[in-house]
Amino acid sequence: MPESFTHSPEDAVDFDALVVGAGFAGMYMLYRLRRLGFSAQVIEAGSDVGGTWFWNRYPGARCDVESVQYSYQFDRELEQEWTWSEKYSPQPEILAYANHVADRYDLRRDIRFNCRVTAARYQADRRLWEVTLAGDERITARHVVMATGCLSLSNTPDFAGIDEFRGATYHTGRWPHDGVDFTGQRVGVIGTGSSAIQSIPVIARQARTLTVFQRTANYTIPARNAPLSPEYVARIKASYPELRARARSLPTGYAINYNTGSVHEVSREEYRAEYRQRWDAGGVNFLAAYGDLLFDAEANRTAADFVKDMIRETVHDPEIAELLCPTNIIGCKRLCVDTNYYATYNLPHVRLVDVSRVPIDRLTPDGLLHDGTAYEFDAIVFATGFDAMTGALFDIDIRGLDGISLREKWHGGPRTYLGLATAGFPNLFTVTGPGSPSVLTNMLPSIEQHVNWIADCLAWLRDRGHEVIDASPEAELAWGEHVNEVAAASLRSTCASWYVGANVPGKPRVFMPYIGGFPRYVAKCDEVASRDYEGFALA
Ligand code: NAP
């Protein structure tokens, strides 16, 4: 077994690396660390593996990246032995996959479940991190890897009267494990993002009445989900390397039918036919119809208008249809993918309430009050999203050199080098952190690329006898400028989305993910590594 980082008794650390989170990122990180001979432990707040897919068990939850691509590619055998049943697999199947991976590589023996990290403090004199767990237990590690996910800290708005409501409340991102039966109930759903759009049609099938409170209408494309035929699965399995390579060559890290041409080069009939064909095929592929849809407002309008026409075609009540028609850029907020979302509003027991001009006043013992109308509910579902990208990191009191806290350092918005590290916090890595493509890409390949980069970096440090790596402030500044520059060129940075922190009051408005595309980002990470970790200080 290769030598670990611990060379002498006075240097003794509990682990070479401590990983926070046992979702897809933390699990693969553990796998790589073990194979490199590092001692590692994963700390996980939940009672089992799966991260996002462990917590988000709301009705209708499924991934909207095709499952054959939303899966690990590090082990060809794993890829061949696992068979997805549907184009977009439901949450229980994705969670079963996470469990399969944990079993297959015997990961659980190095994961501590039901255990929350509360603080992490860098001790410069000992060149290690002291990590505090709930209950005040302390663990030391040479390196800490934050595999805490981009959408993991749920956001429930601070509604007045929230504790007075006598019915049941649920957050989509913290759904009860034994499920919820809404049969015969009067249900209110607050929010119309991806989670709401997936759950509303399913809740509507059970509930006696369903009232949806919409602040911002969202664009959603039909999933056209379907079982995968054995022939299709066999074809994918036979051509996985090509599929993965094509995915890696695209900005999204996801093999879609991506057309780089401009919509302005074709006639109205032609682009409408293209949109129709993509609408009928389903999924986020819709937005890849033309290369300028996310860069040119006029180009974007052609796609937005098409979707609005589909909404008007689907929803019988013209007033409700208009209310469901978004007014912003399509794709500016994350595009949603649904099954029967718009058609659900044709059901007589489903009602849509516009809270865009007048916000929800408060929750009451019997329901909620909005614009002078009292609504009575047995249950209220908060589909109100997450404190994205930085929330889970700030949830832990992380302190680097000189005791400076991450919250203080990032008070004006996250500052990272490649979304992997932040200056002044030596030996701390973030998997799919702010400043990396993360949420703008297929998360699985982005996770694997980050984990591989971090694992290779730790092995390189060990081989050269380095114990400390820290991003330089200059490299971080230059990367931040580049992240902002590419964001400014995209329409995506122009609306009040969670990408810019707009959904959380007081959060600085900064476009957090890197929008320069997966291949360009990977090339930069590889270049940094090949130049002996250029932009990092080593000791
Ligand atoms: P979200 O997109 O942030 O949506 C939250 C919703 O709650 C928005 O409609 C928001 O309105 C509304 N809201 C928040 N505070 C409110 C308030 N005080 N009053 C009224 N409405 C309020 O959250 P999400 O739906 O959980 O999705 C988050 C992300 O998770 C997605 O964008 C996606 O990346 C990921 N996700 C993926 C899948 C999938 O793969 N299928 C499924 C679910 C989630 P505003 O828009 O006006 O802020």
Side-chain angles (χ1 to χ4, degrees), residues 58 62 64 192-195 198 215-216 333-334 383-385 498:
Y58 59 84
R62 53 180 82 239
D64 53 21
T192 49
S194 295
S195 304
Q198 286 189 325
R215 189 165 66 181
T216 309
K333 290 192 175 208
R334 188 176 178 283
T384 44
W498 58 258

Side-chain angles (χ1 to χ4, degrees), residues 28-328:
Y28 181 48
M29 192 75 242
L30 174 60
Y31 170 88
R32 282 292 326 260
L33 288 166
R34 266 194 199 161
R35 288 178 67 102
L36 287 165
F38 290 118
S39 61
Q41 182 156 85
V42 181
I43 306 294
E44 166 58 52
S47 61
D48 211 337
V49 297
T52 285
W53 303 101
F54 175 87
W55 298 106
N56 286 264
R57 298 170 188 241
Y58 59 84
R62 53 180 82 239
C63 188
D64 53 21
V65 169
E66 290 169 39
S67 299
V68 294
Q69 296 194 59
Y70 190 84
S71 50
Y72 286 123
Q73 53 190 291
F74 67 85
D75 184 340
R76 296 279 168 246
E77 282 179 19
L78 171 67
E79 214 170 47
Q80 291 298 319
E81 77 196 12
W82 182 266
T83 297
W84 295 103
S85 68
E86 295 179 49
K87 182 177 172 192
Y88 303 107
S89 291
Q91 172 271 334
E93 189 170 339
I94 304 173
L95 188 59
Y97 173 71
N99 277 280
H100 170 74
V101 172
D103 292 341
R104 192 185 197 287
Y105 304 103
D106 187 21
L107 297 179
R108 286 192 185 82
R109 75 181 146 87
D110 288 320
I111 306 176
R112 275 182 71 176
F113 294 106
N114 301 307
C115 188
R116 186 172 282 280
V117 174
T118 57
R121 190 176 292 262
Y122 187 66
Q123 299 192 349
D125 52 340
R126 297 168 69 202
R127 302 175 308 285
L128 55 75
W129 282 88
E130 187 183 72
V131 175
T132 309
L133 309 180
D136 217 27
E137 185 187 344
R138 312 271 162 120
I139 301 180
T140 56
R142 186 70 67 209
H143 296 271
V144 169
V145 181
M146 300 301 295
T148 40
C150 296
L151 293 155
S152 39
L153 188 72
S154 59
N155 169 49
T156 303
D158 191 14
F159 291 117
I162 200 160
D163 298 326
E164 292 170 23
F165 178 58
R166 284 188 297 237
T169 57
Y170 306 99
H171 190 287
T172 48
R174 284 285 179 277
W175 204 258
H177 285 199
D178 33 11
V180 180
D181 183 5
F182 291 111
T183 305
Q185 294 193 8
R186 299 159 303 168
V187 182
V189 173
I190 301 174
T192 49
S194 295
S195 304
I197 280 174
Q198 286 189 325
S199 56
I200 283 166
V202 185
I203 296 174
R205 290 208 292 269
Q206 285 186 346
R208 173 146 62 98
T209 64
L210 173 61
T211 308
V212 177
F213 295 89
Q214 171 185 278
R215 189 165 66 181
T216 309
N218 240 322
Y219 295 93
T220 174
I221 309 296
R224 316 280 181 210
N225 186 38
L228 295 178
S229 69
E231 297 74 34
Y232 177 82
V233 171
R235 229 177 24 251
I236 292 288
K237 285 189 178 180
S239 60
Y240 248 133
E242 295 81 41
L243 178 70
R244 304 291 200 182
R246 201 163 83 72
R248 281 196 299 272
S249 74
L250 293 171
T252 47
Y254 175 31
I256 47 175
N257 181 7
Y258 190 59
N259 174 12
T260 52
S262 164
V263 68
H264 298 308
E265 289 163 1
V266 297
S267 68
R268 184 173 191 278
E269 289 65 38
E270 218 171 308
Y271 68 65
R272 298 280 294 190
E274 180 69 25
Y275 294 145
R276 166 60 79 175
Q277 185 265 320
R278 286 177 184 256
W279 178 268
D280 291 343
V284 292
N285 218 357
F286 183 85
L287 221 47
Y290 296 98
D292 46 1
L293 294 186
L294 289 171
F295 297 95
D296 170 347
E298 274 307 308
N300 189 279
R301 191 165 304 134
T302 63
D305 286 347
F306 176 86
V307 175
K308 289 183 211 177
D309 289 347
M310 293 300 102
I311 297 171
R312 294 181 185 117
E313 217 172 76
T314 310
V315 179
H316 302 157
D317 180 330
E319 267 182 43
I320 299 295
E322 283 318 303
L323 212 50
L324 287 167
C325 282
T327 51
N328 53 12

Side-chain angles (χ1 to χ4, degrees), residues 369-381:
L369 192 65
H370 171 251
D371 200 13
T373 304
Y375 297 85
E376 292 191 0
F377 297 121
D378 302 303
I380 295 178
V381 174

Side-chain angles (χ1 to χ4, degrees), residues 219-498:
Y219 295 93
T220 174
I221 309 296
R224 316 280 181 210
N225 186 38
L228 295 178
S229 69
E231 297 74 34
Y232 177 82
V233 171
R235 229 177 24 251
I236 292 288
K237 285 189 178 180
S239 60
Y240 248 133
E242 295 81 41
L243 178 70
R244 304 291 200 182
R246 201 163 83 72
R248 281 196 299 272
S249 74
L250 293 171
T252 47
Y254 175 31
I256 47 175
N257 181 7
Y258 190 59
N259 174 12
T260 52
S262 164
V263 68
H264 298 308
E265 289 163 1
V266 297
S267 68
R268 184 173 191 278
E269 289 65 38
E270 218 171 308
Y271 68 65
R272 298 280 294 190
E274 180 69 25
Y275 294 145
R276 166 60 79 175
Q277 185 265 320
R278 286 177 184 256
W279 178 268
D280 291 343
V284 292
N285 218 357
F286 183 85
L287 221 47
Y290 296 98
D292 46 1
L293 294 186
L294 289 171
F295 297 95
D296 170 347
E298 274 307 308
N300 189 279
R301 191 165 304 134
T302 63
D305 286 347
F306 176 86
V307 175
K308 289 183 211 177
D309 289 347
M310 293 300 102
I311 297 171
R312 294 181 185 117
E313 217 172 76
T314 310
V315 179
H316 302 157
D317 180 330
E319 267 182 43
I320 299 295
E322 283 318 303
L323 212 50
L324 287 167
C325 282
T327 51
N328 53 12
I329 298 281
I330 182 169
C332 194
K333 290 192 175 208
R334 188 176 178 283
L335 189 64
C336 304
V337 174
D338 72 282
T339 300
N340 292 333
Y341 177 66
Y342 293 126
T344 297
Y345 292 98
N346 293 330
L347 299 172
H349 67 295
V350 177
R351 181 172 180 187
L352 182 66
V353 178
D354 175 19
V355 298
S356 62
R357 279 178 294 272
V358 181
I360 291 167
D361 295 308
R362 59 178 295 113
L363 266 63
T364 64
D366 297 320
L368 68 76
L369 192 65
H370 171 251
D371 200 13
T373 304
Y375 297 85
E376 292 191 0
F377 297 121
D378 302 303
I380 295 178
V381 174
F382 298 110
T384 44
F386 301 89
D387 184 349
M389 307 208 68
T390 53
L393 296 170
F394 289 168
D395 205 32
I396 298 171
D397 184 19
I398 300 174
R399 289 178 185 270
L401 292 175
D402 303 322
I404 189 155
S405 80
L406 192 66
R407 289 177 205 143
E408 281 167 54
K409 181 181 168 184
W410 288 6
H411 74 277
R415 285 152 55 199
T416 73
Y417 185 34
L418 303 171
L420 278 160
T422 186
F425 294 75
N427 294 0
L428 179 83
F429 297 95
T430 46
V431 181
T432 63
S436 77
S438 64
V439 291
L440 301 177
T441 61
N442 179 2
M443 285 302 285
L444 263 284
S446 274
I447 283 171
E448 281 188 275
Q449 183 259 341
H450 261 198
V451 167
N452 286 334
W453 192 95
I454 295 167
D456 294 346
C457 173
L458 296 192
W460 185 90
L461 292 172
R462 180 179 58 190
D463 291 349
R464 280 158 185 77
H466 296 304
E467 285 190 330
V468 183
I469 181 166
D470 192 6
S472 79
E474 296 76 27
E476 179 175 286
L477 187 66
W479 181 249
E481 282 169 1
H482 174 60
V483 170
N484 292 339
E485 187 184 275
V486 287
S490 166
L491 294 172
R492 272 202 158 128
S493 60
T494 61
C495 67
S497 66
W498 58 258

